[in-house]
Amino acid sequence: MSSSCKTLPLYSKSEFEKHVKPNQCWVSIDQRKIYNVSKFLDENPEGYQYVLDHAGQDVTQLLKDMQTDEPTDLAHQLLSDAYLIGYLATSEEERKLLTNANHVVEVKPANGNRVDSGFVKKLPTEEKLAIATDFKTDYEKHHFLDLDKPLFMQVLFGNFTKEFYIDQVHRPRHYGKESAPLFGNFLEPLSKTSWWVIPIVWYPCVIYYIRTALLNISTPLALFLFGVGVFVWTLIEYGLHRFLFHFDDRMPESNIVFTLHFLLHGIHHYLPMDKYRLVMPPALFLALCYPFYKLVFSILPYYCACAGFAGGLFGYVGYDVTHYFLHHRKLPPFMRKLKKYHLEHHYKNYELGFGVTSWYWDKVFNTYLSPTAPLSRAKYD
Protein backbone atom coordinates (compact mmCIF):
# COMPACT_ATOMS: atom_id res chain seq x y z
CA MET A 1 0.00 0.00 0.00
CA SER A 2 1.02 3.60 -0.52
CA SER A 3 2.92 5.15 2.34
CA SER A 4 0.47 8.03 2.24
CA CYS A 5 -2.31 6.05 3.91
CA LYS A 6 -3.09 6.60 7.54
CA THR A 7 -1.45 3.94 9.74
CA LEU A 8 -3.46 3.35 12.90
CA PRO A 9 -4.55 0.37 15.01
CA LEU A 10 -7.52 -1.83 14.27
CA TYR A 11 -9.93 -2.45 17.12
CA SER A 12 -12.52 -5.17 17.52
CA LYS A 13 -16.14 -4.21 18.07
CA SER A 14 -16.08 -5.59 21.61
CA GLU A 15 -12.99 -3.52 22.46
CA PHE A 16 -14.55 -0.40 20.95
CA GLU A 17 -17.75 -0.79 22.95
CA LYS A 18 -15.83 -0.87 26.26
CA HIS A 19 -14.77 2.79 25.97
CA VAL A 20 -17.77 4.57 27.43
CA LYS A 21 -16.22 6.55 30.30
CA PRO A 22 -15.46 10.30 30.28
CA ASN A 23 -11.69 9.72 30.21
CA GLN A 24 -12.01 7.08 27.45
CA CYS A 25 -15.02 8.06 25.37
CA TRP A 26 -14.95 6.55 21.88
CA VAL A 27 -17.41 6.92 19.00
CA SER A 28 -17.25 5.70 15.40
CA ILE A 29 -18.16 7.15 12.00
CA ASP A 30 -19.39 4.99 9.10
CA GLN A 31 -18.85 1.88 11.25
CA ARG A 32 -15.14 2.35 10.47
CA LYS A 33 -13.30 5.36 11.88
CA ILE A 34 -12.89 5.48 15.66
CA TYR A 35 -12.57 8.81 17.46
CA ASN A 36 -11.48 9.31 21.07
CA VAL A 37 -13.54 12.37 22.00
CA SER A 38 -12.54 12.53 25.66
CA LYS A 39 -10.72 15.82 25.07
CA PHE A 40 -13.85 17.21 23.44
CA LEU A 41 -15.78 16.43 26.64
CA ASP A 42 -13.22 18.33 28.70
CA GLU A 43 -13.35 21.38 26.44
CA ASN A 44 -17.10 21.46 25.78
CA PRO A 45 -19.09 21.03 28.99
CA GLU A 46 -22.29 22.09 27.20
CA GLY A 47 -22.13 18.98 25.00
CA TYR A 48 -20.70 16.69 27.69
CA GLN A 49 -23.71 14.52 28.51
CA TYR A 50 -25.01 14.50 24.95
CA VAL A 51 -21.81 12.97 23.59
CA LEU A 52 -21.26 10.66 26.56
CA ASP A 53 -24.73 9.17 26.00
CA HIS A 54 -23.48 7.89 22.63
CA ALA A 55 -20.11 6.53 23.80
CA GLY A 56 -19.21 3.16 22.29
CA GLN A 57 -21.66 3.70 19.44
CA ASP A 58 -21.62 4.72 15.78
CA VAL A 59 -22.75 8.36 15.44
CA THR A 60 -22.88 8.70 11.66
CA GLN A 61 -26.64 9.12 11.44
CA LEU A 62 -26.65 11.33 14.53
CA LEU A 63 -24.24 13.78 12.90
CA LYS A 64 -26.19 13.73 9.62
CA ASP A 65 -29.33 14.64 11.53
CA MET A 66 -27.46 17.58 13.09
CA GLN A 67 -26.12 18.94 9.80
CA THR A 68 -27.73 21.40 7.43
CA ASP A 69 -25.69 23.21 4.78
CA GLU A 70 -22.76 23.39 7.17
CA PRO A 71 -21.90 21.06 10.07
CA THR A 72 -22.72 22.32 13.53
CA ASP A 73 -19.99 23.10 16.03
CA LEU A 74 -20.43 19.66 17.57
CA ALA A 75 -20.19 17.85 14.25
CA HIS A 76 -17.13 19.90 13.23
CA GLN A 77 -15.25 19.01 16.38
CA LEU A 78 -16.19 15.34 16.54
CA LEU A 79 -14.92 14.88 12.98
CA SER A 80 -11.55 16.44 13.78
CA ASP A 81 -8.58 14.33 12.69
CA ALA A 82 -7.00 15.17 16.03
CA TYR A 83 -9.41 12.70 17.65
CA LEU A 84 -8.99 9.89 15.07
CA ILE A 85 -7.24 7.00 16.83
CA GLY A 86 -7.96 3.90 14.77
CA TYR A 87 -10.36 1.82 12.74
CA LEU A 88 -13.15 -0.58 13.59
CA ALA A 89 -12.19 -3.97 12.23
CA THR A 90 -14.49 -5.85 9.92
CA SER A 91 -15.34 -9.41 10.87
CA GLU A 92 -12.76 -10.66 8.37
CA GLU A 93 -10.09 -8.35 9.78
CA GLU A 94 -10.91 -9.47 13.29
CA ARG A 95 -10.42 -13.06 12.28
CA LYS A 96 -7.15 -12.51 10.41
CA LEU A 97 -5.45 -9.55 12.02
CA LEU A 98 -6.45 -9.12 15.63
CA THR A 99 -4.79 -12.18 17.10
CA ASN A 100 -2.08 -9.79 18.29
CA ALA A 101 -3.55 -7.02 20.45
CA ASN A 102 -0.80 -4.61 19.37
CA HIS A 103 -1.25 -5.19 15.66
CA VAL A 104 -1.18 -2.08 13.48
CA VAL A 105 -2.23 -2.11 9.84
CA GLU A 106 -2.56 0.42 7.04
CA VAL A 107 -6.22 1.11 6.31
CA LYS A 108 -7.02 2.60 2.94
CA PRO A 109 -10.33 4.49 2.68
CA ALA A 110 -12.66 3.51 -0.13
CA ASN A 111 -12.09 5.45 -3.35
CA GLY A 112 -15.65 6.73 -3.16
CA ASN A 113 -14.67 8.86 -0.16
CA ARG A 114 -11.83 10.59 -1.98
CA VAL A 115 -11.90 14.04 -3.51
CA ASP A 116 -10.99 13.65 -7.17
CA SER A 117 -8.80 16.35 -8.71
CA GLY A 118 -11.08 18.91 -10.27
CA PHE A 119 -13.26 21.91 -9.50
CA VAL A 120 -16.54 21.65 -7.62
CA LYS A 121 -19.58 23.83 -6.92
CA LYS A 122 -19.87 22.64 -3.34
CA LEU A 123 -16.86 22.33 -1.07
CA PRO A 124 -15.94 18.83 0.15
CA THR A 125 -16.38 18.24 3.87
CA GLU A 126 -13.30 18.82 6.01
CA GLU A 127 -13.10 15.10 6.70
CA LYS A 128 -12.62 14.38 2.99
CA LEU A 129 -9.88 16.99 2.71
CA ALA A 130 -7.76 14.81 5.00
CA ILE A 131 -8.05 11.70 2.79
CA ALA A 132 -5.01 11.08 0.64
CA THR A 133 -5.30 11.08 -3.13
CA ASP A 134 -4.78 7.71 -4.77
CA PHE A 135 -1.31 8.54 -6.08
CA LYS A 136 -1.09 5.74 -8.64
CA THR A 137 -4.55 6.31 -10.10
CA ASP A 138 -4.03 10.08 -10.28
CA TYR A 139 -0.75 9.74 -12.12
CA GLU A 140 -2.08 7.12 -14.54
CA LYS A 141 -5.07 9.34 -15.34
CA HIS A 142 -3.36 12.73 -15.66
CA HIS A 143 0.34 11.96 -16.33
CA PHE A 144 1.36 15.07 -14.43
CA LEU A 145 3.30 14.55 -11.18
CA ASP A 146 3.89 11.33 -9.25
CA LEU A 147 3.29 12.08 -5.57
CA ASP A 148 5.45 9.11 -4.59
CA LYS A 149 8.54 10.88 -6.00
CA PRO A 150 10.20 14.27 -5.37
CA LEU A 151 8.21 16.94 -7.19
CA PHE A 152 10.90 19.53 -7.97
CA MET A 153 12.75 17.51 -10.61
CA GLN A 154 9.49 16.34 -12.17
CA VAL A 155 8.40 19.94 -12.78
CA LEU A 156 11.85 21.08 -13.91
CA PHE A 157 12.21 18.31 -16.48
CA GLY A 158 8.55 17.64 -17.18
CA ASN A 159 7.44 17.27 -20.77
CA PHE A 160 4.27 19.38 -20.69
CA THR A 161 2.94 22.62 -22.11
CA LYS A 162 2.10 25.77 -20.19
CA GLU A 163 -1.61 25.19 -20.68
CA PHE A 164 -1.37 21.64 -19.33
CA TYR A 165 0.79 22.72 -16.38
CA ILE A 166 -1.62 25.54 -15.38
CA ASP A 167 -4.61 23.22 -15.63
CA GLN A 168 -3.06 20.46 -13.56
CA VAL A 169 -1.23 22.43 -10.88
CA HIS A 170 -4.43 24.17 -9.80
CA ARG A 171 -6.40 20.96 -9.40
CA PRO A 172 -6.18 19.99 -5.73
CA ARG A 173 -4.61 16.73 -4.59
CA HIS A 174 -4.15 15.52 -1.02
CA TYR A 175 -1.13 13.82 0.47
CA GLY A 176 -2.72 12.85 3.77
CA LYS A 177 -1.26 14.10 7.02
CA GLU A 178 2.36 14.39 5.93
CA SER A 179 4.06 16.56 3.31
CA ALA A 180 4.78 15.33 -0.19
CA PRO A 181 8.50 15.13 -1.07
CA LEU A 182 9.59 18.31 -2.84
CA PHE A 183 13.35 17.86 -3.14
CA GLY A 184 13.82 14.44 -1.60
CA ASN A 185 17.24 15.36 -0.17
CA PHE A 186 18.90 17.60 2.44
CA LEU A 187 16.92 20.61 1.12
CA GLU A 188 13.61 19.06 2.14
CA PRO A 189 13.46 20.56 5.68
CA LEU A 190 14.11 24.03 4.24
CA SER A 191 10.93 23.76 2.16
CA LYS A 192 8.70 23.41 5.23
CA THR A 193 7.62 26.06 7.72
CA SER A 194 5.35 25.64 10.72
CA TRP A 195 2.78 28.40 11.11
CA TRP A 196 4.00 29.45 14.56
CA VAL A 197 7.43 30.33 13.15
CA ILE A 198 5.93 33.42 11.50
CA PRO A 199 4.84 35.33 14.64
CA ILE A 200 7.96 34.21 16.51
CA VAL A 201 10.26 35.60 13.81
CA TRP A 202 8.40 38.76 12.81
CA TYR A 203 6.52 40.05 15.85
CA PRO A 204 9.77 41.14 17.56
CA CYS A 205 10.45 43.27 14.46
CA VAL A 206 6.96 44.76 14.68
CA ILE A 207 7.53 45.60 18.35
CA TYR A 208 10.94 47.14 17.62
CA TYR A 209 9.68 49.45 14.88
CA ILE A 210 6.47 50.58 16.58
CA ARG A 211 8.35 51.17 19.85
CA THR A 212 10.92 53.26 17.98
CA ALA A 213 8.13 55.31 16.46
CA LEU A 214 6.27 55.79 19.76
CA LEU A 215 9.42 57.04 21.46
CA ASN A 216 10.12 59.65 18.79
CA ILE A 217 6.80 60.90 17.39
CA SER A 218 3.40 61.55 18.95
CA THR A 219 1.36 58.49 19.91
CA PRO A 220 -1.70 59.47 17.79
CA LEU A 221 0.49 59.92 14.70
CA ALA A 222 2.36 56.65 15.30
CA LEU A 223 -0.88 54.71 15.76
CA PHE A 224 -2.45 56.36 12.71
CA LEU A 225 0.52 55.43 10.52
CA PHE A 226 0.49 51.92 11.99
CA GLY A 227 -3.16 51.60 10.92
CA VAL A 228 -2.31 52.95 7.47
CA GLY A 229 0.40 50.31 7.23
CA VAL A 230 -2.07 47.54 8.05
CA PHE A 231 -4.50 48.88 5.43
CA VAL A 232 -1.82 49.18 2.77
CA TRP A 233 -0.75 45.62 3.54
CA THR A 234 -4.23 44.35 2.61
CA LEU A 235 -3.76 45.85 -0.85
CA ILE A 236 -0.26 44.37 -1.11
CA GLU A 237 -1.66 40.99 -0.03
CA TYR A 238 -4.23 41.14 -2.83
CA GLY A 239 -1.71 42.37 -5.41
CA LEU A 240 0.93 39.76 -4.61
CA HIS A 241 -1.60 36.95 -4.67
CA ARG A 242 -3.24 38.03 -7.91
CA PHE A 243 -0.32 39.29 -9.97
CA LEU A 244 2.76 37.50 -8.60
CA PHE A 245 1.54 34.20 -7.19
CA HIS A 246 -0.98 33.80 -10.03
CA PHE A 247 1.02 34.99 -13.00
CA ASP A 248 -0.41 31.87 -14.64
CA ASP A 249 -1.43 33.06 -18.10
CA ARG A 250 1.55 35.41 -18.35
CA MET A 251 4.09 32.58 -18.05
CA PRO A 252 6.29 31.80 -21.03
CA GLU A 253 6.65 28.20 -22.23
CA SER A 254 9.60 27.40 -19.98
CA ASN A 255 10.13 24.63 -17.47
CA ILE A 256 12.35 26.94 -15.44
CA VAL A 257 9.46 29.41 -15.11
CA PHE A 258 7.06 26.55 -14.35
CA THR A 259 9.41 25.50 -11.55
CA LEU A 260 9.61 29.03 -10.12
CA HIS A 261 5.82 29.26 -10.23
CA PHE A 262 5.52 25.85 -8.55
CA LEU A 263 7.89 26.78 -5.73
CA LEU A 264 6.29 30.19 -5.18
CA HIS A 265 2.63 29.19 -5.13
CA GLY A 266 1.87 26.29 -7.45
CA ILE A 267 2.66 23.63 -4.88
CA HIS A 268 0.13 25.22 -2.53
CA HIS A 269 -2.63 24.88 -5.12
CA TYR A 270 -1.49 21.40 -6.04
CA LEU A 271 -1.46 20.31 -2.37
CA PRO A 272 -3.63 22.90 -0.57
CA MET A 273 -3.88 21.02 2.74
CA ASP A 274 -0.14 20.57 3.32
CA LYS A 275 0.33 22.02 6.82
CA TYR A 276 4.00 22.87 6.33
CA ARG A 277 3.70 24.73 3.02
CA LEU A 278 0.92 27.13 3.96
CA VAL A 279 2.98 30.05 5.26
CA MET A 280 5.86 31.88 3.66
CA PRO A 281 9.36 30.77 4.70
CA PRO A 282 11.11 33.73 6.37
CA ALA A 283 13.88 33.84 3.74
CA LEU A 284 11.37 34.16 0.90
CA PHE A 285 9.39 36.82 2.74
CA LEU A 286 12.59 38.76 3.40
CA ALA A 287 13.30 38.83 -0.34
CA LEU A 288 9.76 39.95 -1.21
CA CYS A 289 9.60 42.44 1.66
CA TYR A 290 12.89 44.25 0.98
CA PRO A 291 11.65 46.42 -1.95
CA PHE A 292 8.66 47.58 0.13
CA TYR A 293 10.95 48.30 3.07
CA LYS A 294 13.22 50.46 0.90
CA LEU A 295 10.22 52.27 -0.60
CA VAL A 296 8.62 53.10 2.75
CA PHE A 297 11.85 54.39 4.28
CA SER A 298 12.67 56.43 1.19
CA ILE A 299 9.37 58.35 1.02
CA LEU A 300 8.64 58.91 4.73
CA PRO A 301 10.66 60.47 7.53
CA TYR A 302 12.46 57.72 9.43
CA TYR A 303 10.27 57.52 12.55
CA CYS A 304 7.06 57.82 10.52
CA ALA A 305 8.37 55.04 8.29
CA CYS A 306 8.99 52.90 11.37
CA ALA A 307 5.33 53.19 12.37
CA GLY A 308 4.01 52.51 8.88
CA PHE A 309 6.35 49.60 8.29
CA ALA A 310 5.42 48.08 11.67
CA GLY A 311 1.76 48.19 10.63
CA GLY A 312 2.47 46.55 7.30
CA LEU A 313 4.55 43.83 8.93
CA PHE A 314 1.84 43.26 11.53
CA GLY A 315 -0.68 42.90 8.71
CA TYR A 316 1.53 40.33 6.98
CA VAL A 317 1.82 38.17 10.12
CA GLY A 318 -1.95 38.31 10.52
CA TYR A 319 -2.38 37.27 6.88
CA ASP A 320 -0.05 34.27 7.07
CA VAL A 321 -1.48 32.98 10.35
CA THR A 322 -5.03 33.53 9.08
CA HIS A 323 -4.16 31.61 5.91
CA TYR A 324 -3.03 28.63 7.96
CA PHE A 325 -6.10 28.72 10.19
CA LEU A 326 -8.46 28.95 7.20
CA HIS A 327 -7.07 25.61 6.02
CA HIS A 328 -6.55 23.79 9.29
CA ARG A 329 -8.60 25.11 12.18
CA LYS A 330 -12.22 25.12 13.22
CA LEU A 331 -13.14 28.79 13.23
CA PRO A 332 -15.81 30.81 15.02
CA PRO A 333 -19.02 31.52 13.08
CA PHE A 334 -18.03 35.00 11.94
CA MET A 335 -14.93 33.59 10.17
CA ARG A 336 -16.55 30.54 8.56
CA LYS A 337 -17.68 32.56 5.57
CA LEU A 338 -14.09 33.73 5.07
CA LYS A 339 -12.87 30.13 5.32
CA LYS A 340 -15.43 28.98 2.75
CA TYR A 341 -14.48 31.90 0.50
CA HIS A 342 -10.79 31.03 0.55
CA LEU A 343 -11.26 27.30 0.09
CA GLU A 344 -13.50 28.00 -2.90
CA HIS A 345 -10.53 29.81 -4.44
CA HIS A 346 -8.80 26.41 -4.34
CA TYR A 347 -11.65 24.03 -5.09
CA LYS A 348 -14.03 26.11 -7.22
CA ASN A 349 -12.30 28.91 -9.16
CA TYR A 350 -8.63 29.83 -8.75
CA GLU A 351 -9.03 32.83 -11.08
CA LEU A 352 -11.20 34.68 -8.53
CA GLY A 353 -11.09 35.27 -4.79
CA PHE A 354 -7.54 36.55 -4.26
CA GLY A 355 -8.21 38.15 -0.87
CA VAL A 356 -7.27 35.97 2.10
CA THR A 357 -7.94 38.11 5.17
CA SER A 358 -10.94 39.75 3.48
CA TRP A 359 -12.70 40.02 0.13
CA TYR A 360 -12.69 43.85 0.16
CA TRP A 361 -10.23 44.32 -2.70
CA ASP A 362 -11.85 41.52 -4.69
CA LYS A 363 -15.02 43.59 -4.73
CA VAL A 364 -13.11 46.77 -5.60
CA PHE A 365 -11.32 45.12 -8.54
CA ASN A 366 -14.16 42.87 -9.69
CA THR A 367 -12.60 39.52 -8.76
CA TYR A 368 -15.10 38.63 -6.03
CA LEU A 369 -15.80 34.90 -5.90
CA SER A 370 -19.57 34.92 -5.50
CA PRO A 371 -21.74 31.86 -4.79
CA THR A 372 -22.89 31.98 -8.44
CA ALA A 373 -19.38 32.26 -9.89
CA PRO A 374 -18.55 29.65 -12.55
CA LEU A 375 -16.12 26.81 -11.96
CA SER A 376 -12.62 26.99 -13.36
CA ARG A 377 -12.62 24.90 -16.51
CA ALA A 378 -10.74 21.62 -16.30
CA LYS A 379 -9.25 21.22 -19.77
CA TYR A 380 -7.35 17.95 -19.50
CA ASP A 381 -9.51 15.07 -18.38
Side-chain angles (χ1 to χ4, degrees):
M1 286 190 182
S2 167
S3 61
S4 65
C5 300
K6 195 183 298 295
T7 302
L8 290 171
L10 282 170
Y11 293 97
S12 66
K13 186 176 181 181
S14 60
E15 178 67 20
F16 164 66
E17 291 175 343
K18 292 178 184 177
H19 294 79
V20 295
K21 297 180 180 180
N23 63 342
Q24 280 294 305
C25 179
W26 292 8
V27 296
S28 67
I29 304 292
D30 296 327
Q31 298 291 342
R32 190 56 164 166
K33 293 184 174 183
I34 298 175
Y35 295 80
N36 183 347
V37 294
S38 306
K39 186 177 179 182
F40 170 86
L41 298 182
D42 293 338
E43 297 175 350
N44 296 271
E46 68 280 2
Y48 182 97
Q49 193 59 49
Y50 187 70
V51 176
L52 193 59
D53 286 345
H54 295 87
Q57 302 175 32
D58 189 84
V59 296
T60 306
Q61 189 58 48
L62 176 69
L63 294 182
K64 286 181 180 178
D65 292 342
M66 295 165 57
Q67 291 178 351
T68 53
D69 289 341
E70 291 186 334
T72 62
D73 288 352
L74 179 62
H76 263 300
Q77 294 183 55
L78 288 179
L79 294 176
S80 169
D81 262 5
Y83 300 147
L84 182 62
I85 60 164
Y87 296 90
L88 191 61
T90 64
S91 56
E92 182 70 9
E93 287 169 339
E94 282 201 47
R95 184 176 66 82
K96 289 183 176 181
L97 301 175
L98 292 178
T99 54
N100 175 359
N102 295 320
H103 185 76
V104 175
V105 65
E106 286 185 343
V107 177
K108 191 171 186 176
N111 286 341
N113 289 330
R114 297 183 183 279
V115 180
D116 192 19
S117 58
F119 306 108
V120 295
K121 289 183 179 179
K122 187 175 181 180
L123 286 174
T125 62
E126 292 186 40
E127 183 184 33
K128 288 188 177 182
L129 299 185
I131 299 175
T133 294
D134 187 319
F135 301 173
K136 182 179 179 182
T137 301
D138 181 73
Y139 185 69
E140 288 176 350
K141 178 180 179 180
H142 298 286
H143 301 287
F144 181 48
L145 301 177
D146 185 345
L147 280 163
D148 273 325
K149 300 176 182 177
L151 302 173
F152 176 81
M153 298 300 284
Q154 294 183 70
V155 178
L156 185 60
F157 295 105
N159 183 24
F160 34 72
T161 64
K162 178 182 80 170
E163 187 178 55
F164 178 76
Y165 167 79
I166 292 172
D167 175 76
Q168 289 294 317
V169 81
H170 289 103
R171 299 168 72 161
R173 276 78 164 183
H174 301 110
Y175 196 77
K177 278 197 163 185
E178 302 301 322
S179 294
L182 179 58
F183 298 107
N185 55 28
F186 68 95
L187 293 174
E188 195 70 24
L190 301 178
S191 72
K192 302 175 186 179
T193 308
S194 297
W195 72 268
W196 45 263
V197 170
I198 304 306
I200 287 176
V201 170
W202 298 117
Y203 271 151
C205 299
V206 172
I207 293 169
Y208 169 79
Y209 282 111
I210 190 60
R211 182 176 181 274
T212 300
L214 288 169
L215 290 174
N216 291 278
I217 58 177
S218 70
T219 298
L221 178 59
L223 295 180
F224 170 75
L225 291 171
F226 183 89
V228 170
V230 174
F231 179 74
V232 170
W233 162 256
T234 64
L235 179 59
I236 294 171
E237 168 196 317
Y238 174 86
L240 287 176
H241 192 185
R242 181 179 177 182
F243 298 109
L244 179 62
F245 298 165
H246 281 276
F247 67 104
D248 310 325
D249 294 328
R250 300 185 298 279
M251 281 192 290
E253 291 276 355
S254 164
N255 277 63
I256 293 176
V257 178
F258 298 165
T259 305
L260 290 174
H261 177 276
F262 189 77
L263 294 175
L264 189 64
H265 197 60
I267 190 172
H268 174 52
H269 271 261
Y270 186 62
L271 295 163
M273 301 307 289
D274 186 332
K275 290 184 176 182
Y276 297 104
R277 297 190 176 111
L278 272 170
V279 297
M280 198 176 296
L284 176 59
F285 175 71
L286 199 60
L288 293 176
C289 176
Y290 184 71
F292 295 103
Y293 172 86
K294 293 294 289 184
L295 178 63
V296 170
F297 280 86
S298 65
I299 63 176
L300 291 176
Y302 180 76
Y303 296 119
C304 292
C306 285
F309 183 74
L313 191 56
F314 180 82
Y316 157 70
V317 175
Y319 149 79
D320 237 357
V321 172
T322 298
H323 186 213
Y324 176 86
F325 276 51
L326 292 180
H327 280 265
H328 282 290
R329 287 289 186 272
K330 178 186 173 300
L331 298 173
F334 74 93
M335 288 194 69
R336 284 186 197 155
K337 186 178 178 182
L338 186 62
K339 176 171 185 168
K340 181 174 182 286
Y341 184 78
H342 179 66
L343 290 181
E344 284 184 340
H345 169 73
H346 285 278
Y347 291 90
K348 181 179 180 180
N349 191 324
Y350 66 88
E351 296 167 293
L352 297 171
F354 299 105
V356 174
T357 54
S358 82
W359 47 77
Y360 173 78
W361 294 110
D362 280 311
K363 290 193 171 182
V364 171
F365 294 112
N366 202 31
T367 55
Y368 180 69
L369 209 175
S370 69
T372 59
L375 305 185
S376 289
R377 187 163 70 91
K379 301 176 183 177
Y380 291 90
D381 283 322

